[in-house]
Amino acid sequence: MDLKAAKTLLLRQRIEVPSWGFANSGTRFGTFAQDGAARTLEEKLDDAATVHRLTGITPTVALHIPWDGSPDSDWDGVARYAAERGVAIGSINPNVFQDQCYKFGSFGNPDASVRQRAVQAHLDCCAIAEATGSDTISLWYADGTNYPGQDDFRARKHRFEACLAEVYAALPAGARMLLEYKFFEPAFYHTDLPDWGTSLLMCSKLGERAQVLVDTGHHPQGCNIEHIVATLLDEKRLGGFHFNARKYADDDLTVGSIDPYETFLIFTELVKAGLDPDEELRTATGRVAYMFDQSHNLKHKIEATLQSALFVQQTYAKALLVDYKALRVAQDSCDLLQAEEILRAAFNADVRALCAEVRSELGAEADPIAAYRASGLKEQAARERVARHGEAVVGSGYQ
Amino acid sequence: MDLKAAKTLLLRQRIEVPSWGFANSGTRFGTFAQDGAARTLEEKLDDAATVHRLTGITPTVALHIPWDGSPDSDWDGVARYAAERGVAIGSINPNVFQDQCYKFGSFGNPDASVRQRAVQAHLDCCAIAEATGSDTISLWYADGTNYPGQDDFRARKHRFEACLAEVYAALPAGARMLLEYKFFEPAFYHTDLPDWGTSLLMCSKLGERAQVLVDTGHHPQGCNIEHIVATLLDEKRLGGFHFNARKYADDDLTVGSIDPYETFLIFTELVKAGLDPDEELRTATGRVAYMFDQSHNLKHKIEATLQSALFVQQTYAKALLVDYKALRVAQDSCDLLQAEEILRAAFNADVRALCAEVRSELGAEADPIAAYRASGLKEQAARERVARHGEAVVGSGYQ
Amino acid sequence: MDLKAAKTLLLRQRIEVPSWGFANSGTRFGTFAQDGAARTLEEKLDDAATVHRLTGITPTVALHIPWDGSPDSDWDGVARYAAERGVAIGSINPNVFQDQCYKFGSFGNPDASVRQRAVQAHLDCCAIAEATGSDTISLWYADGTNYPGQDDFRARKHRFEACLAEVYAALPAGARMLLEYKFFEPAFYHTDLPDWGTSLLMCSKLGERAQVLVDTGHHPQGCNIEHIVATLLDEKRLGGFHFNARKYADDDLTVGSIDPYETFLIFTELVKAGLDPDEELRTATGRVAYMFDQSHNLKHKIEATLQSALFVQQTYAKALLVDYKALRVAQDSCDLLQAEEILRAAFNADVRALCAEVRSELGAEADPIAAYRASGLKEQAARERVARHGEAVVGSGYQ
Amino acid sequence: MDLKAAKTLLLRQRIEVPSWGFANSGTRFGTFAQDGAARTLEEKLDDAATVHRLTGITPTVALHIPWDGSPDSDWDGVARYAAERGVAIGSINPNVFQDQCYKFGSFGNPDASVRQRAVQAHLDCCAIAEATGSDTISLWYADGTNYPGQDDFRARKHRFEACLAEVYAALPAGARMLLEYKFFEPAFYHTDLPDWGTSLLMCSKLGERAQVLVDTGHHPQGCNIEHIVATLLDEKRLGGFHFNARKYADDDLTVGSIDPYETFLIFTELVKAGLDPDEELRTATGRVAYMFDQSHNLKHKIEATLQSALFVQQTYAKALLVDYKALRVAQDSCDLLQAEEILRAAFNADVRALCAEVRSELGAEADPIAAYRASGLKEQAARERVARHGEAVVGSGYQ
């Protein structure tokens, strides 16, 4: 691919930011509050708009319900508020893990009334999606057990299948559901949807509009995530990504901070599939949703999101620069050293100027972090928000 | 379940031993030869017969081709030899990883002629199965890559799908294929069939006679294997087990040596499924093949196999003693501590006398290891085999 | 060891319970409140006293400061309150991770004023230890960094060495400090004290009254904890344990729930060292502190503590039943199968009756969990505590 | 650091290559022989000389005894042969794991006569070091156990301490010993020297000329190796490195192939320590030995070594370009995002031209791999070596 073609694709790159990435977050040991962290949906949308204005590539915002509102909220108003600031509502994420009723799970719960309540929370999100113009329901379940014997694996599987089918049947026209998996946490002995295999199995039973979501932090150590990505692409069932990074568990660090080469390898699979002769595969690849799901516990929320967007942009640029034809020739002749060097040549390329150029063409900033730091916006938000809400009150998993 | 019912089931328990479990084995750093280790198929069958005579529960022997012979071997004679010693031929395992042609894989190899050679090796195994009265082809692939870029994940997946379909079409009437997966090793960057999800995906495309084989050592750290077992049972696609143990990687230690509670939890899933109201599930559960796949590098081969058989027998006995009705009551009321204690009560029960009784009724030994040690067979085999073959010649991965 | 000798040792077994094990706890995703969970130090001491009355082996309670009070609390009164209920104050644990000032660490913090504040918190704990009759300060640090480059490893090490030296110099006469380590969490990129090697290095520089504390959940996957225990015993630097269990990360589950054989193997090291001809080693072994450090997120707090005490009692009983002389003979002749079977014989023994007998002789309950469930105490505490404090208010890591 | 200063340091960079990196190697499943792989010490030295001629930075060759000779070899002749080809003998590595006598360990073996044989093998290596002008004995032990109970941890520790002390006492004047550790493999239950803590403990007891060797593949998953490097540097006990890469276990892949950022972070610690105001630290850092320890199972041996040398050169160059003063300012003000971006700026820099320039100044090749591929040397070596020795005979861990 020549630089011009790469630039054309870079100009089209879009990444969704999560509303919760602008709010305070922490660990079970405690939360360190930031004065300027967003505490209302409007503030989160303000922050997302700032990021989009500076980078040019983050036009949508994922919502978490009920953190960001209830069925009774003025969703038209929310959509309008977002639009006025230059962003739009992205995927809708039902939270069915925090209420006390979900102590023993949501869709996996032995209690049918809790399952029904969880299903209703999903139906509410479908309605919110319609009201806000979103076409994606993004699903993650904290369900699982903490101890051997706590519940029956197969019974829980049956309950999950039944509840997901109810939600699938209620999807708005044109909408799809993304089904996330996670190896462990917060359930510590077993997780109902622990791996891509389980998510794909569920999606296959549901229908084509159910697709697998890959969160890069939700795998066991040593797992080859780019291989999973390739498999799901080949099955036309890769729905999207939650990008983040981790060193040990699901640490939800900013994407690329621990192993940037892994993210690059993931992107090479996506670029390759987007260039494939199989049109159906190209279409499926074009549909993949790119989102962050990170806990900016110590970094400033907006800065961390800027940094993440810049990293993903650079990584996509590097993946676009790979000479895939030469790669395939090397692969077919089992010249593994040459094949590896072709990948490395692209990874080692310095794409920072190229990306700055792309951002400039998009009307955004050549150096977004520096621009933000120079703007005074950070200090202003902190002042205004503390004035509006008072100091942030934070807790820990220990009460 | 009362003791009598448990005993009835224990009397029917059967576990397959691998021919290669009686041969010398080692690590890439070297192999420590045992004088008495089997070096011919006949010696392996002799050793397997000894184990079956002492335990009463290991009547079949898995073969590895070409380690145990070629298409031209006298397979009628082999079957007869086995039968005369009281055992029979079990699953047939094609080895498509050791020949120099498989350097870059078998079914995943970019070279079509190598793939065809690998397919032929499978067809040969189908013929051997027919000739020896075996109804199971058990498949494991070392295929994968060592470095990023070495080969294309999706291209390899397509090759695997095509080759497996050829083999499936050639399965003898009444036979089935078991498809194993492995998280890593000997491929170090990616493995073509790395997890149960990939194996199940392949099996689903092939047909009902393709089922997943779970090797207990082939998972990432922290993986909940009993959950995978439950999922595959629920899908009626659990074909069988390769039992062994590991602390870190696929260490192929004797089953139960590192985490006996995990094996117990796996067996509780099998017992529960065998008692399920769903007849199809009970049938599928009854079909599960139980096999060892261990590298007895330091332990004496026969003693290690005896020890393994005794452990699996005791573990099955403990799993049979669980009060599953009370367990379900505790589970349905979310009394997780009580549910756990019900499992532990069975795990803590001392079933050694019960198992000795079962072995006695089967005409085997109450204390098989002691009986073997007292028999002089060990010293005799060592003398005879060294006399027959000379000292064992062993190597390492470094030449 | 004969049964009588084993019983004598079982009658002397003592385990410390943590005050925080009776309070509500959760994960970063949320906390599920229990009505009867303790919310004041007095309630925690009440619960600990209940556990001791039922089991007979948990006479001391570890405190967390400031969760359980401040330097200004009436510590004489606390000690008296405990004594009246039949328990005593155990180790004092300074919490230097939750206050907002510790966002970037305590002893590792680049800011000297924060380090001084953390040192003062330790000096306060020394005073509390003296006031309550405790002779142990137990230290764990959440310190570390989340991202590469965040801080300088060696600079932080120097700060830790300096601060720990200040605390060591201030230890009350006759008191010791236990220095815990943890592989990861809540710091996600690096932890200042990540492994036993770092803790031992620090303790060696401090002096003999600084000893290493092993928390069983604070190791990487695949780690051989019993080997670490043996090494620290051999160096006469094993100070104590925090028992708990985990499947993947530091899940703080109840001890023995995931891998009971591992706990047994740890106890065999302790029993062996207690029988060693080296008197210094026997003395050092006798000094080891046994404590729980668990998050009873879903289990009832008191029941989970009872279950843990019973498990540790049974495991110690099994370890006492090992024939260590025969084991050494098997080891010296490299008969590894026999050596393993000697361990397994003890692990497979059913010691429940023996332990019930021990509890009865101690004036406690033969079946403590059943007795507690039958007592009505659980319901009574829930009623009284809700009446006293209102419903529990719980949060999550996300605000 | 300006480019000129960086270049000066790059011109001084030296990395040792292992003789065994040019020989055939494999896994327990088999070895895929390469026609041109070296089979004699002379051939290994020829290959090492080729690598040094092409890169300019690999002037020494590590030897493995007895793979590369015995006490009776003509070591003067070997040193002369090497010198004539422009290289020299580097560290001497005793192999005490492959002989049948080491089945149950070397220094940890219960049998005193085996331990004495292992000590003698070390004394032989000391003599070889003197004869070849080497000043480094590099020690790795496969010792450990495969099963719980197999041997006594503390007894083995005592044996190790005693044997190492014998070797230390016999070190040639001016020589040092490097003591490696490994988390697991080939011992599968416990390893006698499993972590840096154990190696450091041993070295501390021995004396200043005993230092820890870090093999980058010998750690648990999720381990922060750069932190260990910093700790050992701070203790002035980092003796050297064995570079390689891994995805899961100790896969001995070419360095940088899986996680190049990790290698970069390790080098930043080394560069920082080399610039430290503490002269003793700078001296200790200057003493660190850089070596490869890789199994080039599938890659061509010489090409893989060239690739590794180039990677380490580029990584050192990137680490030299970090603005450490600005980094420290960011760290001291807890500006973690800025600190991270300072590291990333250097990592993202394209240093390929700089490194080519350095190689040219050293009289080596601007593009060593291309030059080698164009030279015809590969084909020539294959022809000559097959003519000399015949086809390579290879085996597997299964016999």
Side-chain angles (χ1 to χ4, degrees), chain C residues 92-321:
Chain C
I92 309 297
N93 297 252
N95 173 328
V96 288
F97 57 81
Q98 202 167 349
D99 277 4
Q100 297 294 312
C101 73
Y102 298 129
K103 181 174 184 175
F104 299 110
S106 60
F107 283 1
N109 202 303
D111 182 337
S113 71
V114 176
R115 296 200 296 276
Q116 204 42 53
R117 188 164 152 184
V119 168
Q120 185 57 51
H122 286 68
L123 304 185
D124 292 347
C125 284
C126 290
I128 292 170
E130 286 202 292
T132 55
S134 163
D135 62 358
T136 306
I137 313 291
S138 189
L139 309 178
W140 171 70
Y141 300 92
D143 280 68
T145 57
N146 272 7
Y147 292 98
Q150 180 180 331
D151 202 355
D152 186 78
F153 296 142
R154 286 187 290 107
R156 293 180 72 94
K157 177 168 176 277
H158 298 164
R159 294 174 206 141
F160 253 91
E161 289 169 348
C163 291
L164 285 170
E166 277 193 67
V167 175
Y168 189 82
L171 277 182
R176 58 179 174 156
M177 61 156 69
L178 307 185
L179 192 55
E180 197 168 344
Y181 57 90
K182 186 172 184 181
F183 191 59
F184 91 107
E185 195 211 21
F188 292 138
Y189 166 63
H190 114 281
T191 300
D192 285 297
L193 305 181
D195 48 26
W196 72 268
T198 312
S199 283
L200 179 61
L201 186 61
M202 295 284 172
C203 288
S204 302
K205 294 183 183 192
L206 292 170
E208 289 199 352
R209 292 192 291 151
Q211 296 155 12
V212 181
L213 187 143
V214 174
D215 181 299
T216 50
H218 288 190
H219 303 84
Q221 289 278 339
C223 184
N224 189 317
I225 302 174
E226 52 271 29
H227 186 208
I228 292 173
V229 167
T231 300
L232 291 171
L233 281 169
D234 200 59
E235 295 293 316
K236 280 95 183 174
R237 285 283 188 174
L238 179 63
F241 285 96
H242 274 181
F243 283 119
N244 51 50
R246 62 86 177 257
K247 183 138 184 89
Y248 194 80
D250 178 40
D251 308 334
D252 278 338
L253 303 176
T254 46
V255 56
S257 57
I258 300 301
D259 182 357
Y261 194 48
E262 181 181 71
T263 319
F264 167 75
L265 293 170
I266 291 171
F267 268 93
T268 62
E269 293 302 323
L270 291 155
V271 171
K272 257 192 299 183
L275 299 170
D276 202 87
D278 175 357
E279 191 189 335
E280 207 189 327
L281 175 58
R282 289 202 310 276
T283 305
T285 306
R287 221 168 44 199
V288 171
Y290 297 85
M291 305 179 268
F292 298 128
D293 183 10
Q294 305 178 160
S295 288
H296 309 127
N297 296 346
L298 299 184
K299 286 180 179 172
H300 185 269
K301 315 294 177 186
I302 288 178
E303 290 181 3
T305 312
L306 291 171
Q307 191 187 28
S308 303
L310 298 179
F311 172 78
V312 170
Q313 188 179 40
Q314 285 170 24
T315 303
Y316 184 42
K318 290 180 177 200
L320 289 170
L321 296 183

Side-chain angles (χ1 to χ4, degrees), chain A residues 96-97 99-119 141-145 150-152 155-160 163 190 192, chain B residues 328 331-334, chain C residues 32 298:
Chain A
V96 288
F97 57 81
D99 277 3
Q100 297 296 312
C101 73
Y102 299 129
K103 181 174 184 175
F104 298 111
S106 61
F107 284 0
N109 202 304
D111 182 339
S113 71
V114 177
R115 296 199 297 276
Q116 204 42 52
R117 186 163 154 185
V119 168
Y141 299 92
D143 280 70
T145 57
Q150 180 180 332
D151 202 355
D152 186 78
R156 293 180 73 94
K157 178 168 175 276
H158 298 165
R159 294 174 204 142
F160 253 91
C163 291
H190 113 281
D192 285 296
Chain B
R328 193 56 186 263
Q331 289 172 340
D332 286 343
S333 55
C334 294
Chain C
F32 298 108
L298 299 184

Side-chain angles (χ1 to χ4, degrees), chain A residues 205-223:
Chain A
K205 295 184 182 192
L206 292 170
E208 288 201 350
R209 293 193 292 151
Q211 296 154 15
V212 181
L213 187 145
V214 174
D215 182 299
T216 50
H218 288 190
H219 303 83
Q221 289 277 339
C223 185

Side-chain angles (χ1 to χ4, degrees), chain B residues 153-173:
Chain B
F153 296 140
R154 286 187 290 107
R156 293 180 73 93
K157 177 168 176 277
H158 297 166
R159 294 175 206 142
F160 252 91
E161 288 169 349
C163 291
L164 285 171
E166 278 194 66
V167 175
Y168 189 81
L171 277 183

Side-chain angles (χ1 to χ4, degrees), chain B residues 354-378:
Chain B
L354 170 64
C355 291
E357 215 177 291
V358 168
R359 286 193 298 273
S360 296
E361 289 197 24
L362 288 168
E365 290 288 338
D367 187 343
I369 295 173
Y372 178 66
R373 289 197 161 194
S375 70
L377 285 170
K378 178 154 78 168

Side-chain angles (χ1 to χ4, degrees), chain B residues 93-399:
Chain B
N93 298 253
N95 173 329
V96 289
F97 57 81
Q98 202 167 349
D99 277 4
Q100 297 295 312
C101 73
Y102 298 128
K103 181 173 184 176
F104 299 110
S106 60
F107 283 1
N109 202 304
D111 182 338
S113 71
V114 177
R115 296 200 295 277
Q116 204 42 53
R117 187 165 154 183
V119 168
Q120 184 56 51
H122 286 68
L123 303 186
D124 292 346
C125 284
C126 289
I128 292 171
E130 285 201 293
T132 55
S134 164
D135 63 358
T136 305
I137 313 292
S138 189
L139 309 178
W140 171 70
Y141 300 92
D143 280 69
T145 57
N146 271 8
Y147 291 98
Q150 179 180 331
D151 202 355
D152 187 78
F153 296 140
R154 286 187 290 107
R156 293 180 73 93
K157 177 168 176 277
H158 297 166
R159 294 175 206 142
F160 252 91
E161 288 169 349
C163 291
L164 285 171
E166 278 194 66
V167 175
Y168 189 81
L171 277 183
R176 59 179 174 155
M177 62 156 69
L178 307 185
L179 191 56
E180 197 168 344
Y181 56 90
K182 186 172 184 181
F183 192 59
F184 93 106
E185 195 210 21
F188 292 138
Y189 166 61
H190 114 281
T191 300
D192 286 295
L193 305 182
D195 49 25
W196 72 268
T198 310
S199 283
L200 179 60
L201 186 60
M202 294 284 172
C203 289
S204 301
K205 294 184 184 193
L206 291 170
E208 289 200 352
R209 293 192 292 151
Q211 296 154 12
V212 180
L213 187 143
V214 174
D215 181 299
T216 49
H218 289 191
H219 303 84
Q221 289 277 340
C223 184
N224 188 317
I225 302 174
E226 52 272 29
H227 186 210
I228 292 174
V229 167
T231 300
L232 291 172
L233 281 170
D234 200 58
E235 295 293 318
K236 281 93 182 176
R237 286 281 188 176
L238 179 63
F241 284 97
H242 274 181
F243 283 119
N244 50 50
R246 63 86 177 256
K247 185 141 183 88
Y248 195 80
D250 178 41
D251 309 334
D252 278 337
L253 304 175
T254 46
V255 56
S257 57
I258 300 301
D259 182 357
Y261 194 48
E262 181 181 70
T263 319
F264 167 75
L265 293 170
I266 290 172
F267 267 93
T268 62
E269 292 303 324
L270 291 155
V271 171
K272 258 193 298 182
L275 299 171
D276 201 87
D278 175 356
E279 191 190 333
E280 207 189 327
L281 175 58
R282 289 202 309 276
T283 305
T285 305
R287 221 168 43 199
V288 171
Y290 296 85
M291 304 179 271
F292 297 128
D293 183 11
Q294 305 178 161
S295 289
H296 309 127
N297 296 346
L298 298 184
K299 285 180 179 170
H300 185 269
K301 314 293 176 186
I302 288 179
E303 290 181 3
T305 313
L306 291 171
Q307 191 188 28
S308 303
L310 299 180
F311 172 78
V312 170
Q313 188 179 40
Q314 286 170 24
T315 304
Y316 184 43
K318 290 180 178 199
L320 288 170
L321 296 183
V322 171
D323 184 343
Y324 291 102
K325 278 190 192 150
L327 179 66
R328 193 56 186 263
V329 170
Q331 289 172 340
D332 286 343
S333 55
C334 294
D335 186 351
L336 62 158
L337 189 133
Q338 179 63 14
E340 193 184 19
E341 289 296 316
I342 288 167
L343 288 183
R344 283 176 159 193
F347 183 69
N348 282 326
D350 191 340
V351 297
R352 289 174 290 181
L354 170 64
C355 291
E357 215 177 291
V358 168
R359 286 193 298 273
S360 296
E361 289 197 24
L362 288 168
E365 290 288 338
D367 187 343
I369 295 173
Y372 178 66
R373 289 197 161 194
S375 70
L377 285 170
K378 178 154 78 168
E379 296 73 16
Q380 184 189 334
R383 271 194 316 273
E384 288 176 4
R385 291 172 185 183
V386 169
R388 194 178 298 145
H389 307 292
E391 300 265 319
V393 176
V394 291
S396 83
Y398 291 90
Q399 305 295 328

